[in-house]
Amino acid sequence: MSLTAPDESTIPHVDGGNVAILRSKWHDELVHNMATACTRVLLEHGIESVEDHVVPGTLELPLAVRVLAEKRMHDAFVCLSVVEKGSTAHFDMIVHATTEALQRVSVDQKIPVINEIIAVYDIADAITRASDDEFNKGIEAAAATLEMINFVRANE
């Protein structure tokens, strides 16, 4: 497996704003690592406030985003989770349903919802993507968030 670390010097700056990170309880250490990296990058690149919200699981992310989005207090949302394939089709259902629902909330509410749900067949792959290093997917989630906030602001 070959991962590429994002070049943090190319991540855009945003003038202020409020971002909510929503994360699931499953694989808490890995998800927390992604949230920490994401928060750091967001704050270093101009976001004023980052809220952290924990929900029971991956399937609960879309409703939580929708409830917060309707308050119109955030410029974007970042959803973080790790889902590991087991011996049933539950994995496929969770990832598919959550991805579709998050996209629907984003489009319906006209607000960026960044989906960094790491779906893996082997937990070692999630560890690689959520460790405390330059390959942490929280960094990529922050970069996408900043780019989308700038895009929305420029096109409103």
Side-chain angles (χ1 to χ4, degrees):
M1 162 183 33
S2 176
L3 295 177
T4 304
D7 179 356
E8 289 194 41
S9 70
T10 65
I11 295 174
H13 184 83
V14 168
D15 292 325
N18 183 14
V19 173
I21 294 176
L22 293 94
R23 57 190 174 96
S24 67
K25 289 181 180 179
W26 290 93
H27 302 287
D28 183 56
E29 182 180 344
L30 298 175
V31 177
H32 183 266
N33 285 348
M34 289 191 297
T36 299
C38 186
T39 298
R40 175 188 61 79
V41 172
L42 291 170
L43 293 174
E44 287 176 358
H45 289 84
I47 293 296
E48 286 178 29
S49 173
V50 178
E51 296 175 13
D52 183 50
H53 299 272
V54 179
V55 299
T58 303
L59 276 173
E60 289 74 30
L61 290 168
L63 177 59
V65 171
R66 178 68 185 247
V67 167
L68 293 174
E70 288 179 350
K71 293 181 179 186
R72 299 283 181 223
M73 296 172 49
H74 302 88
D75 295 283
F77 298 93
V78 179
C79 294
L80 305 172
S81 186
V82 172
V83 182
E84 181 183 12
K85 176 124 175 87
S87 59
T88 69
H90 191 64
F91 165 91
D92 298 310
M93 185 263 307
I94 289 172
V95 173
H96 181 75
T98 303
T99 298
E100 282 193 7
L102 289 175
Q103 186 64 32
R104 190 170 45 255
V105 171
S106 181
V107 171
D108 290 351
Q109 297 292 314
K110 296 181 183 158
I111 191 162
V113 177
I114 307 306
N115 176 350
E116 196 58 64
I117 296 170
I118 299 177
V120 297
Y121 296 105
D122 184 332
I123 199 65
D125 291 332
I127 292 168
T128 299
R129 290 165 173 79
S131 292
D132 189 19
D133 61 21
E134 70 273 18
F135 300 107
N136 186 301
K137 291 296 184 179
I139 298 167
E140 289 181 17
T145 302
L146 295 162
E147 288 180 40
M148 287 305 298
I149 290 171
N150 281 338
F151 177 85
V152 169
R153 287 179 178 177
N155 291 287
E156 286 185 313

